[in-house]
Amino acid sequence: GQNIDQPTEMTATEGAIVQINCTYQTSGFNGLFWYQQHAGEAPTFLSYNVLDGLEEKGRFSSFLSRSKGYSYLLLKELQMKDSASYLCAVSGGSYIPTFGRGTSLIVHP
Amino acid sequence: ETGVTQSPTHLIKTRGQQVTLRCSSQSGHNTVSWYQQALGQGPQFIFQYYREEENGRGNFPPRFSGLQFPNYSSELNVNALELDDSALYLCASSLIPGQENEKLFFGSGTQLSVL
């Protein structure tokens, strides 16, 4: 089975940097996804990591350490529109992603 | 916009009733996955269909069933509704299952309330 853990809620200030952590335990590993979900909307894909290291994509970066079962999503230059839930999802042996409960990020002025 | 459409957007049912939710996948995608998302939780995998065959199933009872049609659209059926079935039901399409970086394209979901 799979177990995914991420903080329930985080708050940050506009313009700042925030790091959202995700730890996981899985039998078989075929990658880790991050999705963003605004309230009342569908999740949308942000990033995918399958090898150790940092993947940078604009203001968003995602890091993976397979040996530690650990990932983080780094958001720079926070904007109010970044207030959303951030979902960590692990693809195991079946290639079907299992989602964590999500981290609700609140960005305030 | 992902190109994945779901209907209806909202639905109210009573305990014991049956419900059918519908999903049209993104053009060119032949894999559909259904997820249940309770308030404040992450999406929980229900099942996946690939080329009209069930390709995987999560920990949901048999009263949750599905279909995929030749045009790759899909239905989720839930019989004997229970109060705990109240949730957002998300449909996600993807190109081919079993690929490492196969990202999901989600619809906006159907909000089901069971009274």
Side-chain angles (χ1 to χ4, degrees), chain A residues 34-36 44-48 57 60 73 86:
Chain A
W34 285 95
Y35 285 81
Q36 180 192 59
T44 55
F45 171 82
L46 286 178
S47 68
Y48 171 77
K57 193 186 294 186
F60 292 7
L73 180 69
Y86 291 86

Side-chain angles (χ1 to χ4, degrees), chain A residues 8 29-33 35 37 40-45 48 50 57 85 87 91 94-102, chain B residues 2 33 35 37 40-45 48 55-57 88 90 97-109:
Chain A
T8 304
F29 180 80
N30 287 300
L32 186 144
F33 298 83
Y35 285 81
Q37 186 177 25
E41 297 183 11
T44 55
F45 171 82
Y48 171 77
V50 67
K57 193 186 294 186
S85 180
L87 301 163
S91 179
S94 67
Y95 292 95
I96 294 173
T98 297
F99 285 81
R101 63 182 299 156
Chain B
T2 61
S33 303
Y35 287 82
Q37 187 175 26
Q41 303 293 318
Q44 298 297 306
F45 174 69
Q48 180 185 83
N55 189 53
R57 188 178 181 93
L88 180 68
L90 294 164
Q99 301 294 309
E100 276 191 346
N101 60 347
E102 193 62 27
K103 61 187 178 187
L104 300 174
F105 294 82
F106 285 90
S108 296

Side-chain angles (χ1 to χ4, degrees), chain A residues 54-63 72-74 76:
Chain A
L54 188 68
E55 294 278 344
E56 297 186 78
K57 193 186 294 186
R59 294 190 298 115
F60 292 7
S61 302
S62 56
F63 172 83
Y72 68 72
L73 180 69
L74 192 71
K76 303 175 186 176

